[in-house]
Amino acid sequence: MTSHLTKLSLSFFAAFNFSAIADVKVHIDLMEAEHHYAHVKLDLPDTDQEFIDLKLPTWRTGRYEILNLANGIREFSVNDDDLHWQKIDKDTWRISGDLSDGLEVAYQVYANQLAYRSRHVDDSHAFIDASSVVMYTDETRDDKHIIQLKVPKKWRSVSGLKSGRKKHQFIASDYDVLVDSPIETGVNSFHEFRVDGRDYELVIWGKGNYNEAQMVKDLKALVAQGDTIWSDYPFSRYVFMVHATTGVRGATEHLNSTIIQRDRYTFNTRKDYLSFLATAAHEFVHTWNVKQYRPQGLVPYNYQSENYSNLLWLAEGSTSYLQYQLLMRGEIMTAKEWMEHLSGRVNSYMRKPGRDSQSIAEASFDKWISESGDYSTNHSVSIYSEGFLVSWMLDIDILDTTGMEKSYRDVHQALYEKHSIPKTFDDKDVRTILRGITGKDYQAFWQKNIDGHAKPDFDELLAKVGLKISYGKSDKTKSWTGIKTKPHDNGLIISAVEKNSPGWKAGLTTDDIIIAVDGLRMKDKDLTKRLANFSPEDNVEFTVFRRDVLTKKKVTLGALPAGKLKIVPIKEASDQQKSMFKSWTGLSLPEA
């Protein structure tokens, strides 16, 4: 910067006390928090270029979806009358003129996207993922960024970023580190703890039915398990950020931190609390898988468009699988709870027709355009759910082939050791690792289960570790339509119809409103209660409104086992099966 700086620019620069001339200085004013506003000022270094393009990413890391984050930018300005700017596309501002004296720009951000975990500002806190708040140029992407927050009194600011010399100040070595290190600032609860020479922090925004002491205790046990998979930890400090709020849920991994969002009343029961710990474990696994090694196509990130890969199932589905390795090896989750979780996975897969329509390689590539709902259920698979199942299949196969000397955990250690960023890996690299571990060629497995439609043999997988599927002692069946419904003012509205199910064959479809079953008005809020009055093979008439027109459909009911699918230990398991279970989970096989 030179003497041509305006008085405002000089005061802004002096407030930061910077010495490095090439640094990018970012000031974020949060003093209008109640209106969801963030006012941003950027000081950019000088350049001899005729123009620069300032860009805001169109997506954020950890969410493979175009979010159009520039939709909240207003009041863009350049603090030099001799410079000219124009917006050239939806998230790019071009500034031209004499830029040899540096540049200061300012703009307002409307930050009310809590559910996206991108930006949210209110009178109690601000969550800032820089990808939705701070612009960058290709030329300054590698430059150090210094962020100064202006916040209300009594607010505490926490981030995985290094702290600066001043309060509420953070330092990022470059833009990529900045957008992978969110900031939580506001009125919050804060804990610090240390495990195996590394520092950890837990910051919680929002009231809820959580037990903070228990959370700290279990997170200590969780983070100590990283070396059961990887050779070392890629950080010296890690931050868990938790939003206990209303109406949002989910989590996102970052470089050395995570943001976890849950309903404020979903921490108390064992089931809910274990779900929270599983989410924390998932994001912690991502510290290696995705943040240290990523598939080809994702390095370096292109923030302005989709980043395609057919291995997102390994990035996300394997993480969903490995999270439970940490929980079990840390004795946070019991063997019984693990079997209960697996039961849900197996049952969901059996009820997903999409397994015959899409491979997990295709689901990975198309994650950017994936949708939920009826069509997804019938014609898609999930990189999370089906990626979990393929990871499970690989783990059992490796354990079995190597006499329990190696496991799927060794695959991820090899990826960490041999393919850490800036390197990447592709399908062939993963198969090469698998062959090196087992001596087997996995080309056929890959074609069948990854490029093809995976069909796990659950009986075989479970038998190897002393388990089996059970529907209880009864061999009775219950009537089944394949229809999912939600309450509606006039009855029940169909939210999904399983492909090739009795309801599907009868011609029922989403958004049909069921007002009567077999001539009697539909008053129950649960269709299964009404179906309990019928037997499999019965022909039942459904009266529905479709586009406000009354119509009737005959459904020939199908059958499902009356009992709930459970995974249980087999009687008199062999020593081999017990050893296999122990090698697989780190826990002892329970008695039948």
Side-chain angles (χ1 to χ4, degrees), residues 9-21 23 25-27 43 144 146-148 164-167 169 171:
S9 295
L10 283 169
S11 63
F12 176 63
F13 178 77
F16 283 86
N17 190 26
F18 302 124
S19 57
I21 196 168
D23 296 346
K25 295 93 182 180
V26 183
H27 185 276
D43 263 358
K144 181 166 72 173
I146 305 178
I147 302 89
Q148 181 68 56
R165 296 185 216 172
K166 296 191 174 186
K167 194 173 182 180
Q169 187 182 81
I171 314 293

Side-chain angles (χ1 to χ4, degrees), residues 64 230 252-255 281-292 315-316 319-320 384:
Y64 307 104
W230 300 278
T252 301
E253 74 277 5
H254 289 286
L255 194 61
H282 182 99
E283 306 312 326
F284 193 63
V285 169
H286 270 315
T287 310
W288 290 268
N289 186 18
V290 171
K291 294 310 171 185
Q292 294 302 315
E316 293 295 346
T319 298
S320 294
Y384 296 88

Side-chain angles (χ1 to χ4, degrees), residues 53-239:
D53 287 340
L54 265 178
K55 296 179 279 191
L56 194 73
T58 197
W59 66 286
R60 64 155 180 78
T61 64
R63 184 168 184 144
Y64 307 104
E65 176 186 355
I66 297 299
L67 298 174
N68 295 318
L69 298 169
N71 60 5
I73 305 298
R74 297 291 187 273
E75 300 183 12
F76 185 92
S77 65
V78 179
N79 194 39
D80 190 329
D81 292 338
D82 295 327
L83 298 177
H84 306 280
W85 69 270
Q86 68 177 117
K87 195 173 183 182
I88 62 172
D89 63 35
K90 63 187 175 71
D91 37 42
T92 306
W93 290 255
R94 177 165 291 174
I95 303 168
S96 57
D98 182 359
L99 300 168
S100 60
D101 290 332
L103 172 68
E104 181 187 285
V105 301
Y107 51 90
Q108 175 185 285
V109 180
Y110 181 69
N112 194 22
Q113 294 182 333
L114 184 61
Y116 283 170
R117 294 179 296 283
S118 56
R119 59 186 183 224
H120 185 256
V121 178
D122 68 15
D123 58 358
S124 67
H125 92 129
F127 175 77
I128 298 170
D129 184 311
S131 59
S132 68
V133 175
V134 181
M135 298 180 187
Y136 76 101
T137 73
D138 291 335
E139 296 75 25
T140 60
R141 181 168 171 173
D142 293 332
D143 291 349
K144 181 166 72 173
H145 285 59
I146 305 178
I147 302 89
Q148 181 68 56
L149 305 180
K150 185 177 181 181
V151 300
K153 291 181 179 179
K154 296 184 180 180
W155 278 28
R156 178 184 8 240
S157 300
V158 181
S159 175
L161 293 168
K162 294 180 180 178
S163 295
R165 296 185 216 172
K166 296 191 174 186
K167 194 173 182 180
H168 307 294
Q169 187 182 81
F170 298 100
I171 314 293
S173 58
D174 54 49
Y175 186 78
D176 293 278
V177 170
L178 175 61
V179 298
D180 225 345
S181 308
I183 299 169
E184 173 67 31
T185 181
V187 178
N188 51 55
S189 178
F190 183 74
H191 299 270
E192 295 176 287
F193 54 96
R194 191 170 175 83
V195 178
D196 297 332
R198 285 170 290 276
D199 295 317
Y200 296 88
E201 297 171 11
L202 169 64
V203 56
I204 308 171
W205 167 68
K207 295 181 179 180
N209 61 359
Y210 48 80
N211 182 324
E212 295 180 41
Q214 187 65 48
M215 289 169 72
V216 170
K217 177 183 177 182
D218 289 326
L219 289 175
K220 282 182 177 180
L222 166 63
V223 300
Q225 306 309 312
D227 59 7
T228 63
I229 303 176
W230 300 278
S231 57
D232 58 45
Y233 287 68
F235 60 83
S236 58
R237 175 173 162 267
Y238 189 94
V239 181

Side-chain angles (χ1 to χ4, degrees), residues 229-230 253 275 277-286 289-290 293 312-328 333 338 341-342 345 382-392 395 408 412:
I229 303 176
W230 300 278
E253 74 277 5
S275 173
L277 292 175
T279 301
H282 182 99
E283 306 312 326
F284 193 63
V285 169
H286 270 315
N289 186 18
V290 171
Y293 51 92
L312 285 183
W313 68 267
L314 192 147
E316 293 295 346
S318 291
T319 298
S320 294
Y321 180 75
L322 293 173
Q323 69 193 53
Y324 294 101
Q325 290 286 320
L326 300 188
L327 293 178
M328 289 186 288
M333 182 183 200
W338 170 236
H341 177 77
L342 273 185
R345 294 269 183 181
S382 163
I383 61 173
Y384 296 88
S385 300
E386 280 63 51
F388 174 104
L389 294 179
V390 169
S391 300
W392 175 19
D395 199 12
Y408 192 53
H412 282 264

Side-chain angles (χ1 to χ4, degrees), residues 350-422:
M350 289 179 172
R351 299 267 64 80
K352 182 183 284 188
R355 66 185 182 271
D356 296 320
S357 294
Q358 187 181 49
S359 70
I360 58 171
E362 291 171 331
S364 295
F365 193 87
D366 285 342
K367 183 65 179 74
W368 295 90
I369 56 173
S370 65
E371 294 284 346
S372 58
D374 184 51
Y375 186 77
S376 175
T377 299
N378 286 322
H379 298 282
S380 303
V381 294
S382 163
I383 61 173
Y384 296 88
S385 300
E386 280 63 51
F388 174 104
L389 294 179
V390 169
S391 300
W392 175 19
M393 293 165 69
L394 285 168
D395 199 12
I396 296 299
D397 187 75
I398 296 169
L399 285 164
D400 191 38
T401 302
T402 64
M404 295 173 276
E405 292 294 323
K406 299 290 183 180
S407 72
Y408 192 53
R409 289 172 288 137
D410 293 283
V411 174
H412 282 264
Q413 163 55 22
L415 287 169
Y416 178 49
E417 180 182 346
K418 299 175 182 179
H419 295 279
S420 283
I421 298 167

